[in-house]
Amino acid sequence: GEQTITVVPGNVPETAVRKAPRSFTDKDIVREGSMMYATVFDPSADLKGDADSDAEDESDADVVPTVNEEPFVMFNPETAGDQPAVPDNSESVDLYVDRVQFIPDNATIIKVTGRVMKSNLDNLPDISAFGELDSSARCPQLSFRLPLNTDPDNRKPISQDALVLLRVYTVDKDTKTLLVIGSCLFPLFTEEDGQTKFNVGGHQLRLRRGMPDTKKPLLASSLDNVIPVPGASILLRLMPHSEEMIPSPPYKSGFYHSEKSRPNMSEMRILRDFQSDTLFPLSVREAIHRLQIAQGMSRPEEESDTALEQWYRDRLDAKKHLPPRTPASHSDLLRAVRYHIQTGIGVQVEQAHGVNGEGLYVNVFARVSPGAEARELENTPEGYGGEDKIITRKHDFTSLQRSPKWLDPPSIIHPHLEPNTCLLIQVFGLDAVYTPQPDGNAAGTVSGKRGQEVRLTTESQLGWTAVPVFDRECVMAGVHNVPLFMGMPSTEFLTNIAVKSVELSMKEALNTGSDRLCKEYSSLVVKVYDAHYNPEECIPIPIRDELLKIDSVSKFKKTMGGVKSKPLSQLVLQTLDKKLQKQGTSSEVYQREEGYYDEAMGDTFYNLMENALMNAGYGPL
């Protein structure tokens, strides 16, 4: 499967297993935050035998894409061939809507609606297409054709600005409400060799979560900057008019111009999981039956296709399922992809606000706290489902000592899906002294203020919090602003958190007095997202302040707005002689020692934390 690997500096002996990696330096080829993405597979399972017949290759067997097939196929000019030219814009053409590719996890049954805009043609019917009952539920086949300009007695020149606007509707899997998955725009004409011609051929268009801005002129590019629905697209064709409907070619043939729908790495990961998903209905027929059962209908022993298709159409009728003059909302992108344990959850601790960390080296340790049911489950054969751990190491030295920021790349955790599983986070402050090496050729030493060995004590525990990671079958993605409690979590809280939500457990902790909030109304910022997405390709995620509501949100926000504190850089500057201190943070010596400081203090905290975990029976970091 897909693997994400953090790149660390140095030779293999320098970054051996169970040893904390050193910090990056300017001499390293790779930069801080570098990642590698790899696909691990069995090559023998990917080889196709020579026994496949030509008939099989040319069949429509890709109606339900399998794991061994490519979810995305680039346009192949040789397969598509030279399409018959349409002499001029007064000729007749046929618009085909062939298929919807890879509807999201929170979709069920679909229909495609649309309209030809700015065409100069009169009395054009609206587009309304439904999936064939025995086609793939994930990639429904539509087989819809709209002839254009075919009346020989009323043939007009079609405007070269003509556009087709298509929208895909669904019934939401969770709420059972009628929603829009996404929309796309297709221009009937294209520029080629300085001439404007019909855009003849097959086309694969991305679905995007939104509609064109009605305050601006409608253009083919009007949706280009709208958020795409991950991996979802429509296959359509514009062909010279024919008396008989021409069947759609197999997608795998490369007939469709697909360049503009090319998935990024995150989408390919999503599409692969869609292909191997055994929980999603196989056919449109099965999706209809599941929806009927979910709505409390008993499945009749005998139901004609005509009756089933009528129910299908009625269920997607906006006039019957939406209030008058109320447009359908868009489906929730955060629920477009269900959680997969092998893919995991991305977690990044970004910043603390208002911690009592003046003069201290402040770091964060986090571990998965499984819900009660997850605690009974064994790890997967790949080792997933354990109590994953996270530790911060890289600081932003321009941030404040009481509101430090961390620059660590995201960590990927793989917990079992369980509603009460959460991330338990502790904030520590080391009261330690860093002494640079006299020659400046390596990291210095770390000791207690009186020269003693540095230890983690109760005074080191600046606060703790918890972050929920699941929302039903999906990751609870968002930038979570969560309150910090004093000390370490109580036994009562740890007991509750296994069977109750984070919010309810926190409220009960405050009500019973088992735990208390930090007096400064401190908080932590933690980014959580589905690891199907690479960080730079992630869909927009919301800011989540729900847990701040256990007390005064305004007081938390006031602390987040700013506290008086010295910058983290002061912790490094004070280790230098007074002459260098006067040069500030721009000097070469400071820049070098900043990296050494973070490395030495990070190693010290890592080793202290690992020893504490081993003694507590949690295993190594």
Side-chain angles (χ1 to χ4, degrees):
E2 294 281 352
Q3 305 288 335
T4 304
I5 307 109
T6 301
V7 179
V8 296
N11 297 321
V12 173
E14 295 181 67
T15 54
V17 177
R18 292 181 58 183
K19 181 177 179 182
R22 67 169 172 80
S23 299
F24 283 82
T25 67
D26 292 338
K27 296 180 181 180
D28 291 314
I29 297 175
V30 293
R31 301 288 86 184
E32 178 76 22
S34 299
M35 308 287 282
M36 289 181 64
Y37 304 97
T39 302
V40 182
F41 63 97
D42 179 356
S44 64
D46 219 34
L47 297 176
K48 295 183 178 179
D50 296 331
D52 293 345
S53 68
D54 293 339
E56 287 176 333
D57 288 340
E58 296 173 2
S59 72
D60 270 340
D62 67 335
V63 169
V64 182
T66 63
V67 179
N68 291 331
E69 293 174 352
E70 287 300 321
F72 173 79
V73 177
M74 287 295 294
F75 172 68
N76 186 343
E78 294 181 3
T79 301
D82 294 328
Q83 298 301 318
V86 180
D88 59 59
N89 61 343
S90 296
E91 297 296 318
S92 304
V93 290
D94 289 335
L95 174 69
Y96 291 86
V97 183
D98 292 334
R99 187 159 130 182
V100 177
Q101 288 281 91
F102 293 107
I103 65 175
D105 275 335
N106 56 342
T108 53
I109 55 177
I110 63 100
K111 78 169 178 179
V112 177
T113 67
R115 184 171 294 174
V116 181
M117 319 281 285
K118 304 166 66 175
S119 67
N120 194 41
L121 301 179
D122 299 324
N123 301 319
L124 283 178
D126 287 342
I127 296 167
S128 182
F130 295 82
E132 296 179 357
L133 292 181
D134 293 316
S135 67
S136 163
R138 183 73 81 174
C139 301
Q141 196 78 21
L142 302 170
S143 302
F144 174 88
R145 178 175 73 153
L146 177 64
L148 298 174
N149 214 20
T150 56
D151 185 354
D153 299 325
N154 189 31
R155 197 168 284 170
K156 295 181 178 181
I158 301 177
S159 170
Q160 295 180 355
D161 295 326
L163 295 167
V164 181
L165 175 63
L166 297 174
R167 303 190 84 189
V168 181
Y169 287 79
T170 190
V171 176
D172 185 80
K173 177 180 177 293
D174 299 314
T175 65
K176 306 300 183 290
T177 55
L178 185 62
L179 299 172
V180 177
I181 295 175
S183 308
C184 66
L185 281 166
F186 171 66
L188 290 185
F189 292 86
T190 185
E191 291 284 337
E192 186 177 328
D193 300 327
Q195 294 183 322
T196 301
K197 301 179 179 179
F198 272 110
N199 204 358
V200 173
H203 302 272
Q204 182 175 4
L205 306 176
R206 276 186 178 274
L207 288 177
R208 297 181 179 274
R209 190 184 183 274
M211 284 287 282
D213 188 344
T214 56
K215 297 178 181 178
K216 297 180 180 179
L218 184 64
L219 304 172
S221 59
S222 293
L223 286 173
D224 286 358
N225 295 323
V226 176
I227 301 166
V229 180
S233 59
I234 284 186
L235 303 182
L236 56 81
R237 287 172 291 153
L238 187 66
M239 307 293 287
H241 177 64
S242 61
E243 291 301 319
E244 299 294 328
M245 188 169 179
I246 302 173
S248 62
Y251 174 68
K252 62 186 178 185
S253 68
F255 178 82
Y256 297 89
H257 288 272
S258 56
E259 297 84 2
K260 293 183 179 180
S261 295
R262 186 168 190 164
N264 57 33
M265 188 177 294
S266 302
E267 290 175 309
M268 281 298 292
R269 194 176 295 124
I270 291 168
L271 296 183
R272 289 293 189 194
D273 276 349
F274 281 175
Q275 284 183 305
S276 60
D277 189 359
T278 59
L279 300 178
F280 203 82
L282 287 178
S283 66
V284 173
R285 185 187 301 273
E286 183 183 346
I288 294 171
H289 286 316
R290 287 197 192 183
L291 193 55
Q292 289 176 327
I293 293 169
Q295 294 182 185
M297 293 178 59
S298 58
R299 181 175 175 178
E301 294 183 5
E302 295 291 337
E303 185 175 22
S304 68
D305 285 356
T306 301
L308 199 63
E309 287 174 346
Q310 187 59 51
W311 188 92
Y312 175 15
R313 291 171 181 268
D314 288 345
R315 188 61 185 84
L316 288 164
D317 188 339
K319 293 180 180 179
K320 295 180 179 180
H321 295 280
L322 291 175
R325 296 183 296 279
T326 303
S329 301
H330 280 86
S331 62
D332 187 355
L333 284 187
L334 296 176
R335 306 194 61 76
V337 184
R338 195 168 55 243
Y339 172 69
H340 290 242
I341 189 171
Q342 71 273 18
T343 307
I345 303 170
V347 178
Q348 191 170 23
V349 180
E350 296 185 341
Q351 184 176 12
H353 290 288
V355 295
N356 190 20
E358 196 75 23
L360 305 178
Y361 173 83
V362 178
N363 245 6
V364 167
F365 167 74
R367 67 174 177 87
V368 171
S369 176
E373 293 182 10
R375 296 182 185 189
E376 304 300 320
L377 301 175
E378 296 182 357
N379 289 2
T380 68
E382 301 86 357
Y384 302 141
E387 296 187 9
D388 294 304
K389 307 174 189 72
I390 299 170
I391 191 168
T392 56
R393 290 184 58 91
K394 187 67 176 175
H395 293 74
D396 178 353
F397 282 85
T398 65
S399 63
L400 302 179
Q401 294 176 29
R402 291 191 58 205
S403 297
K405 295 179 181 179
W406 292 274
L407 303 175
D408 300 89
S411 299
I412 309 299
I413 60 175
H414 302 267
H416 284 296
L417 177 63
E418 210 272 16
N420 295 315
T421 291
C422 67
L423 201 61
L424 195 61
I425 305 175
Q426 292 175 275
V427 182
F428 292 88
L430 287 187
D431 191 6
V433 175
Y434 171 77
T435 304
Q437 294 285 2
D439 58 9
N441 289 329
T445 59
V446 179
S447 62
K449 288 191 173 180
R450 297 180 180 82
Q452 77 278 22
E453 184 180 352
V454 181
R455 295 183 179 180
L456 288 177
T457 65
T458 54
E459 287 76 20
S460 305
Q461 299 169 9
L462 303 183
W464 65 270
T465 190
V467 179
V469 293
F470 291 122
D471 179 9
R472 290 164 288 181
E473 296 177 327
C474 300
V475 175
M476 190 178 282
V479 178
H480 295 254
N481 290 314
V482 289
L484 279 173
F485 288 77
M486 297 173 63
M488 60 186 297
S490 66
T491 303
E492 290 84 353
F493 180 85
L494 295 176
T495 301
N496 281 340
I497 204 69
V499 294
K500 300 177 182 179
S501 70
V502 170
E503 182 178 11
L504 185 57
S505 298
M506 286 184 174
K507 286 180 177 178
E508 289 190 7
L510 291 179
N511 289 337
T512 62
S514 64
D515 298 86
R516 292 182 296 166
L517 291 170
C518 292
K519 296 178 181 178
E520 301 83 2
Y521 280 88
S522 310
S523 61
L524 202 64
V525 184
V526 184
K527 182 179 180 180
V528 176
Y529 62 95
D530 190 312
H532 278 98
Y533 302 98
N534 295 342
E536 67 279 7
E537 296 168 346
C538 190
I539 57 174
I541 58 176
I543 295 175
R544 296 186 181 271
D545 292 339
E546 294 90 343
L547 292 180
L548 299 183
K549 296 177 183 178
I550 63 169
D551 201 283
S552 171
V553 176
S554 61
K555 291 181 179 179
F556 284 113
K557 292 288 187 179
K558 183 178 180 181
T559 301
M560 293 167 65
V563 294
K564 292 182 179 180
S565 179
K566 297 176 182 178
L568 281 177
S569 58
Q570 191 64 34
L571 298 176
V572 181
L573 280 172
Q574 67 187 18
T575 68
L576 307 178
D577 61 45
K578 292 184 179 180
K579 183 179 179 181
L580 289 171
Q581 288 182 26
K582 291 180 180 179
Q583 296 180 22
T585 59
S586 60
S587 73
E588 182 179 343
V589 173
Y590 171 83
Q591 294 294 325
R592 180 190 69 210
E593 288 302 328
E594 181 187 284
Y596 285 154
Y597 176 92
D598 223 14
E599 177 184 345
M601 296 293 282
D603 286 348
T604 300
F605 180 72
Y606 187 99
N607 293 330
L608 288 170
M609 203 68 239
E610 185 163 64
N611 289 336
L613 290 171
M614 295 292 285
N615 292 335
Y618 282 106
L621 280 168

